[in-house]
């Protein structure tokens, strides 16, 4: 149970937001207090729902004055426990929901940019872009709930990173509010600006520990009229890695290269009640190409070079736009949903240089055998990014220690796109030296000297049980 807000802070917050946007009743707070996976939960003293940047500034000023900890929350689809209250904390804590910051500006077709509120969803960003004949460069399955602020704060990735990079690369301007209520940043949208550290880059991946992001100026990309999707089954993961080089070199229209390993394919097939349209393999790769001219022949030409025992291709299914493509894509898009339907997962989101993927999957399987759990592996092949989900994990900390140590030894990262949150804190030491951790801590205290913004997140002392 969290301590109540002091009467002074409560009265001040009510004066800024009004009673409908200061939620203290347990029933109203409940949905903000548990994460999407149901693994991370805690209680807060109140949920605050500002609708403007000025309100965010006022709210943060009040929290700083009364020493109230603040957990920024967007769509609450984060997978590392960073957007919900901790089970244990000292002093009052509020969740600051940014969903009310939902202004969507006009698409600037000349600059190929748009300014959006932090609470705008990825789907709304994409729909606005498409209505203007262009597109959003980032996409993933949580698109209807995940927000722009959350995507920047986690430096989210998704399926189009091979073509356009992570969220960090999409932000050409940012507005944010510091814990003392100062509004910082610029929304001018200058793709080139070299005047010291680049604020959008500083805040990308900061997970709500430096400032609350309120608006962003985002890059847009061409909307292609032709899309083709292929699902390829292969006889080994090594063959999938080998295929990656060929498709990257041979396909200028390459939009995504996603990986599904058999444990994940079996689970999602059962969840969808449909078998995949290709023969069984030891690895499945979903390739998407998009272009202004039909890329089908290019894709088929590259795939034909992989036929035969050397290429390791077992079977291929190809589809263009329409219901059959949507159905094919569900085998990748709905894996996370299928996992959640089967239980409360323990998730590791890691990346290694692509050649190290087969060895890593073996270690991940070994961890399941040794410490208990059913491994559901899939991910983003081009970035060597594996999502290792463990259902009924016996000893999550031991699984993490084994897998993350191997990841670090292979030159990889303990978080590719989901962030550190409270889930990965104890393993930061594997990929950041003490000098680097000291610089991170100094930077954090420069922004937030009394440690009120998202305490416990991105911290080497947080733990899985937090
Ligand atoms: P939240 O979950 O609310 O918050 C995430 C973190 O950002 C927290 O630390 C929070 O404090 C901070 N934060 C949120 N808003 C702000 C703000 N305005 N200012 C400062 N800090 C803030 N992620 C990927 O990268 N790639 C994927 O392919 C992907 N697929 C997913 C599929 C599903 C089905 C689900 C449920 C999740 C998936 N995710 C994926 C994870 C998640 O959607 C992303 O991390 C997303 O960026 C989180 O956005 P959010 O608005 O839900 O943020
Ligand atoms: C994806 O790539 C997401 O689908 C979610 O990053 C990964 O559920 C997961 O582990
Ligand atoms: Zn992912």
């Amino acid at each position: 149970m969290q301590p109540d807000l002091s009467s002074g802070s409560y009265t001040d917050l009510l004066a800024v937001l009004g009673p409908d946007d200061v939620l203290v009743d347990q029933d109203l707070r409940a949905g903000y207090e548990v994460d999407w996976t149901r693994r991370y939960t805690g209680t807060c003293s109140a949920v605050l729902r500002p609708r403007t940047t000025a309100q965010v500034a006022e709210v943060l000023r009040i929290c700083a004055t009364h020493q109230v900890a603040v957990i920024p929350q967007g769509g609450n689809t984060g997978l590392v426990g960073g957007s919900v209250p901790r089970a244990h904390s000292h002093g009052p804590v509020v969740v600051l929901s940014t969903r009310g910051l939902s202004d969507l500006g006009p698409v600037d077709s000349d600059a190929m940019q748009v300014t959006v509120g932090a609470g705008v969803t990825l789907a709304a960003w994409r729909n606005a872009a498409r209505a203007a004949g262009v597109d959003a460069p980032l996409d993933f399955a949580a698109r209807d709930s995940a927000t722009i602020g959350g995507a920047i704060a986690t430096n989210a990735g998704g399926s189009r990173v091979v073509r356009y990079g992570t969220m960090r690369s999409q932000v050409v301007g940012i507005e944010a509010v510091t814990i003392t209520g100062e509004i910082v940043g610029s929304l001018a949208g200058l793709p080139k600006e070299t005047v010291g550290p680049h604020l959008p880059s500083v805040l990308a991946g900061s997970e709500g520990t430096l400032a609350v992001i309120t608006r962003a100026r985002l890059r847009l990309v061409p909307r292609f009229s032709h899309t083709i999707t292929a699902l390829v089954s292969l006889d080994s993961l090594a063959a999938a890695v080998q295929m990656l080089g060929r498709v990257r070199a041979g396909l200028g229209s390459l939009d995504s290269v996603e990986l599904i390993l058999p444990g994940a394919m079996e689970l999602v097939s059962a969840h969808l009640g449909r078998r995949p349209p290709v023969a069984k393999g030891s690895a499945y790769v979903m390739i998407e190409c998009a272009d202004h001219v039909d890329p089908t022949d290019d894709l088929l030409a590259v795939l034909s070079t992989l036929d035969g025992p050397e290429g390791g291709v077992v079977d291929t299914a190809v589809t263009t736009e329409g219901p059959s493509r949507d159905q094919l894509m569900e085998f990748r898009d709905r894996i996370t949903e299928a996992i959640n339907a089967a239980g409360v997962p323990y998730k590791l989101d890691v990346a290694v240089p692509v050649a190290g993927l087969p060895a890593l999957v073996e270690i991940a399987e070994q961890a399941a055998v040794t410490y208990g759990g059913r491994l559901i592996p899939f991910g983003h092949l081009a970035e060597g990014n594996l999502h290792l989900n463990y259902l009924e994990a016996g000893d999550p900390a031991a699984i993490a220690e084994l897998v993350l140590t191997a990841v670090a030894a292979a030159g990889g990262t303990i978080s590719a796109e989901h962030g550190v949150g409270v889930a990965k804190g104890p393993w930061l030491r594997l990929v950041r030296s003490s000098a680097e951790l000291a610089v991170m801590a100094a930077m954090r205290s420069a922004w937030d000297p009394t440690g009120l913004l998202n305490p416990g997140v991105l911290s080497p002392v947080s733990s899985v049980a937090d």
Side-chain angles (χ1 to χ4, degrees):
M1 195 50 199
Q2 273 316 122
D4 288 341
L5 293 171
S6 65
S7 60
S9 56
Y10 182 61
T11 314
D12 291 352
L13 290 166
L14 274 185
V16 174
L17 298 177
D20 288 350
D21 288 323
V22 181
L23 310 181
V24 287
D25 289 354
Q26 197 186 340
D27 287 356
L28 299 176
R29 294 188 332 250
Y32 298 84
E33 294 182 330
V34 59
D35 83 313
W36 199 86
T37 66
R38 298 154 292 171
R39 175 167 286 276
Y40 303 100
T41 182
T43 51
C44 61
S45 317
V47 175
L48 311 177
R49 301 193 301 188
R51 315 261 160 190
T52 64
T53 301
Q55 284 184 336
V56 173
E58 282 297 311
V59 161
L60 290 181
R61 219 169 278 140
I62 294 164
C63 291
T65 304
H66 295 273
Q67 290 294 289
V68 175
V70 178
I71 298 174
Q73 185 184 99
N76 199 16
T77 65
L79 299 174
V80 287
S83 55
V84 292
R86 321 284 100 89
H88 309 289
S89 48
H90 309 286
V93 175
V94 293
V95 166
L96 189 158
S97 170
T98 59
R99 278 180 241 173
L101 302 169
S102 54
D103 280 355
L104 225 162
V107 167
D108 179 340
S109 305
D110 297 338
M112 294 272 283
Q113 295 175 354
V114 64
T115 298
V116 302
V120 166
T121 62
L122 298 185
W125 173 30
R126 186 177 75 171
N127 293 345
R130 288 188 175 179
V134 286
D135 206 356
L138 200 92
D139 189 35
F140 51 83
R143 60 185 75 82
D144 291 321
S145 306
T147 63
I148 298 303
I152 298 172
T154 56
N155 186 28
S159 59
R160 306 188 83 186
V161 172
V162 66
R163 190 167 203 159
Y164 296 119
T166 61
M167 191 63 183
R168 169 180 292 138
S169 308
Q170 321 314 332
V171 189
V172 286
I174 203 157
E175 175 193 85
V177 184
T178 67
I179 188 69
T180 50
E182 305 297 332
I183 300 169
V184 297
S186 156
L187 296 165
L190 302 175
K192 283 181 164 180
E193 205 217 8
T194 312
V195 188
H198 183 236
L199 193 56
S201 307
V202 171
L203 294 180
S206 63
E207 297 189 50
T209 63
L210 302 182
V212 174
I213 298 157
T214 45
R215 285 193 293 170
R217 182 88 175 159
L218 301 175
R219 167 167 100 107
L220 300 170
V221 295
R223 170 91 165 114
F224 297 113
S225 45
H226 297 270
T227 305
I228 179 158
T229 309
L231 180 64
V232 183
S233 64
L234 297 117
D235 61 12
S236 67
L237 177 52
V241 172
Q242 186 193 323
M243 181 170 82
L244 174 67
R246 297 273 187 93
V247 299
R248 290 194 77 170
L251 292 168
S253 58
L254 189 64
D255 218 274
S256 71
V257 197
E258 299 285 280
L259 177 68
I260 309 170
L261 289 169
M265 187 56 100
E266 281 153 28
L267 185 79
V268 74
S269 301
H271 182 69
L272 296 173
R274 270 189 281 131
R275 294 165 68 84
V278 287
K280 238 181 174 166
S282 298
Y284 303 84
V285 177
M286 194 171 279
I287 303 170
E288 192 152 285
C289 293
D291 210 338
H292 295 302
V293 290
D294 189 354
T296 306
D297 289 346
D298 293 345
L299 176 60
L300 294 180
V302 169
L303 292 180
S304 71
T305 67
L306 295 157
D307 278 346
E310 276 190 17
V313 171
V314 174
D315 198 7
T316 305
V318 179
T319 169
T320 48
E321 297 270 11
S324 69
R325 175 168 164 260
D326 295 346
Q327 284 206 350
L328 187 67
M329 291 197 56
E330 284 184 330
F331 285 98
R332 173 61 183 84
D333 232 25
R334 294 182 63 187
I335 298 174
T336 300
E337 171 194 314
I339 293 168
N340 244 40
V344 176
Y346 182 63
K347 288 179 180 287
L348 295 176
D349 155 46
V350 300
V352 291
V354 286
L357 283 172
L360 179 61
V361 170
E362 273 183 35
I363 290 166
E365 272 159 5
Q366 189 56 49
V369 172
T370 310
Y371 299 114
R374 175 181 169 199
L375 175 64
I376 314 292
F378 63 107
H380 311 279
L381 182 59
E383 292 81 45
N385 179 188
L386 275 182
H387 296 309
L388 302 169
N389 279 256
Y390 292 86
L391 284 165
E392 291 127 45
D395 185 344
I399 291 173
E401 187 65 31
L402 178 62
V403 173
L404 299 180
T405 302
V407 162
T413 177
I414 63 166
S415 171
E417 58 173 10
H418 296 166
V420 169
V422 295
K424 300 279 186 65
W427 294 280
L428 271 170
R429 62 181 156 77
L430 293 174
V431 287
R432 292 287 178 266
S433 68
S434 39
E436 288 164 349
L437 289 171
V439 170
M440 278 167 69
M443 202 166 133
R444 186 165 179 168
S445 74
W447 282 84
D448 178 21
T450 54
L452 293 174
L453 280 174
N454 230 353
V457 161
L458 252 176
S459 155
V461 292
S462 64
S463 84
V464 221
D466 267 351

